[in-house]
Amino acid sequence: MSILALKLLLTPTIMVAATLAGRRFGRAVSGWFIGLPLTSGPIALIFAIEHGHRFAAHAATGSLGGAIAEVGFCLGYAVASPRGWRLAVVSGSAGFAAVAGVLEALSVGLQPAAIVLLAACAVGTLVAGLMLVHGGA
Protein backbone atom coordinates (compact mmCIF):
# COMPACT_ATOMS: atom_id res chain seq x y z
CA MET A 1 0.00 0.00 0.00
CA SER A 2 1.40 3.39 -0.91
CA ILE A 3 1.84 6.20 1.59
CA LEU A 4 -0.69 8.29 -0.33
CA ALA A 5 -3.34 5.59 0.04
CA LEU A 6 -2.51 5.33 3.74
CA LYS A 7 -2.92 9.09 4.10
CA LEU A 8 -6.22 9.10 2.24
CA LEU A 9 -7.78 6.13 4.01
CA LEU A 10 -6.45 5.79 7.55
CA THR A 11 -7.64 8.92 9.34
CA PRO A 12 -11.07 9.16 7.65
CA THR A 13 -11.68 5.48 8.37
CA ILE A 14 -10.84 5.96 12.03
CA MET A 15 -13.05 9.05 12.26
CA VAL A 16 -15.99 7.25 10.62
CA ALA A 17 -15.57 4.38 13.07
CA ALA A 18 -15.55 6.84 15.98
CA THR A 19 -18.68 8.53 14.65
CA LEU A 20 -20.51 5.23 14.25
CA ALA A 21 -19.47 4.12 17.74
CA GLY A 22 -20.77 7.43 19.10
CA ARG A 23 -24.11 6.96 17.36
CA ARG A 24 -24.40 3.44 18.68
CA PHE A 25 -23.21 4.04 22.26
CA GLY A 26 -23.95 7.75 22.86
CA ARG A 27 -22.32 11.14 23.11
CA ALA A 28 -20.01 10.24 25.97
CA VAL A 29 -18.42 7.44 23.96
CA SER A 30 -18.18 9.72 20.93
CA GLY A 31 -16.51 12.39 23.07
CA TRP A 32 -13.95 9.94 24.39
CA PHE A 33 -13.16 8.69 20.89
CA ILE A 34 -12.75 12.23 19.57
CA GLY A 35 -10.51 13.04 22.53
CA LEU A 36 -8.20 10.17 21.65
CA PRO A 37 -5.35 10.83 19.22
CA LEU A 38 -7.27 9.28 16.34
CA THR A 39 -5.96 11.81 13.86
CA SER A 40 -2.57 12.69 15.33
CA GLY A 41 -1.64 9.03 15.81
CA PRO A 42 -1.91 8.10 12.14
CA ILE A 43 -0.23 11.36 11.16
CA ALA A 44 2.70 10.53 13.47
CA LEU A 45 2.97 7.12 11.79
CA ILE A 46 3.05 8.75 8.37
CA PHE A 47 5.66 11.26 9.56
CA ALA A 48 7.83 8.41 10.85
CA ILE A 49 7.59 6.58 7.52
CA GLU A 50 8.22 9.67 5.39
CA HIS A 51 10.58 11.74 7.54
CA GLY A 52 12.03 9.42 10.17
CA HIS A 53 11.50 8.71 13.84
CA ARG A 54 13.16 11.89 15.10
CA PHE A 55 10.79 14.11 13.11
CA ALA A 56 7.80 12.04 14.28
CA ALA A 57 8.92 12.39 17.91
CA HIS A 58 9.08 16.19 17.56
CA ALA A 59 5.61 16.17 15.98
CA ALA A 60 4.30 14.02 18.84
CA THR A 61 5.67 16.53 21.33
CA GLY A 62 3.85 19.28 19.42
CA SER A 63 0.64 17.24 19.55
CA LEU A 64 0.95 16.98 23.32
CA GLY A 65 1.47 20.74 23.50
CA GLY A 66 -1.66 21.23 21.43
CA ALA A 67 -3.62 19.01 23.80
CA ILE A 68 -2.36 21.01 26.78
CA ALA A 69 -3.42 24.23 25.04
CA GLU A 70 -6.86 22.65 24.42
CA VAL A 71 -7.27 22.37 28.18
CA GLY A 72 -6.56 26.11 28.35
CA PHE A 73 -9.31 26.68 25.79
CA CYS A 74 -11.78 24.50 27.67
CA LEU A 75 -11.10 26.23 30.99
CA GLY A 76 -11.35 29.70 29.47
CA TYR A 77 -14.56 28.76 27.68
CA ALA A 78 -16.11 27.15 30.76
CA VAL A 79 -15.33 30.10 33.03
CA ALA A 80 -16.76 32.65 30.60
CA SER A 81 -19.71 30.59 29.30
CA PRO A 82 -22.26 31.92 31.80
CA ARG A 83 -21.75 35.36 30.21
CA GLY A 84 -22.56 34.18 26.68
CA TRP A 85 -21.00 32.12 23.93
CA ARG A 86 -19.18 35.01 22.23
CA LEU A 87 -17.20 35.91 25.33
CA ALA A 88 -16.66 32.20 26.00
CA VAL A 89 -15.12 31.70 22.54
CA VAL A 90 -12.86 34.73 22.97
CA SER A 91 -11.87 33.67 26.48
CA GLY A 92 -11.21 30.10 25.41
CA SER A 93 -9.17 31.21 22.41
CA ALA A 94 -7.12 33.52 24.63
CA GLY A 95 -6.52 30.63 27.02
CA PHE A 96 -5.37 28.43 24.15
CA ALA A 97 -3.04 31.10 22.79
CA ALA A 98 -1.57 31.87 26.21
CA VAL A 99 -0.85 28.23 27.02
CA ALA A 100 0.53 27.52 23.54
CA GLY A 101 2.76 30.61 23.75
CA VAL A 102 4.18 29.59 27.11
CA LEU A 103 4.85 26.04 25.91
CA GLU A 104 6.54 27.33 22.76
CA ALA A 105 8.71 29.74 24.76
CA LEU A 106 9.75 26.99 27.18
CA SER A 107 10.44 24.46 24.40
CA VAL A 108 9.06 21.61 26.48
CA GLY A 109 10.34 18.11 25.65
CA LEU A 110 8.33 14.92 25.20
CA GLN A 111 8.39 13.58 28.76
CA PRO A 112 7.71 16.93 30.47
CA ALA A 113 4.91 17.60 27.96
CA ALA A 114 3.30 14.25 28.81
CA ILE A 115 3.50 15.00 32.53
CA VAL A 116 2.13 18.53 32.06
CA LEU A 117 -0.72 17.14 29.93
CA LEU A 118 -1.71 14.69 32.66
CA ALA A 119 -1.58 17.48 35.24
CA ALA A 120 -3.56 19.84 32.98
CA CYS A 121 -6.24 17.21 32.45
CA ALA A 122 -6.46 16.63 36.21
CA VAL A 123 -6.75 20.37 36.90
CA GLY A 124 -9.30 20.79 34.10
CA THR A 125 -11.39 17.93 35.46
CA LEU A 126 -11.20 19.35 38.98
CA VAL A 127 -12.22 22.84 37.85
CA ALA A 128 -15.07 21.45 35.74
CA GLY A 129 -16.28 19.40 38.69
CA LEU A 130 -16.15 22.41 41.00
CA MET A 131 -18.07 24.50 38.47
CA LEU A 132 -20.78 21.84 38.24
CA VAL A 133 -21.05 21.55 42.01
CA HIS A 134 -21.28 25.31 42.47
CA GLY A 135 -23.52 25.92 39.44
CA GLY A 136 -20.95 27.93 37.45
CA ALA A 137 -21.58 26.34 34.06
Side-chain angles (χ1 to χ4, degrees):
M1 179 184 291
S2 74
I3 296 296
L4 179 60
L6 186 64
K7 289 178 185 180
L8 293 173
L9 295 175
L10 190 58
T11 299
T13 300
I14 292 170
M15 295 309 292
V16 167
T19 300
L20 293 175
R23 286 183 183 168
R24 171 73 171 101
F25 300 108
R27 292 183 302 184
V29 171
S30 182
W32 277 101
F33 272 116
I34 297 305
L36 293 172
L38 296 175
T39 55
S40 60
I43 289 170
L45 172 67
I46 291 166
F47 282 166
I49 293 169
E50 288 185 332
H51 303 287
H53 297 284
R54 185 179 201 134
F55 185 89
H58 287 294
T61 302
S63 291
L64 289 174
I68 295 165
E70 280 184 75
V71 174
F73 176 87
C74 292
L75 289 175
Y77 189 96
V79 168
S81 65
R83 294 181 193 94
W85 70 267
R86 288 180 181 94
L87 181 61
V89 169
V90 170
S91 178
S93 297
F96 183 95
V99 172
V102 168
L103 291 173
E104 183 66 26
L106 294 176
S107 188
V108 177
L110 183 61
Q111 290 175 333
I115 293 167
V116 170
L117 176 58
L118 291 173
C121 287
V123 168
T125 302
L126 178 65
V127 170
L130 289 173
M131 289 182 71
L132 286 174
V133 167
H134 297 294

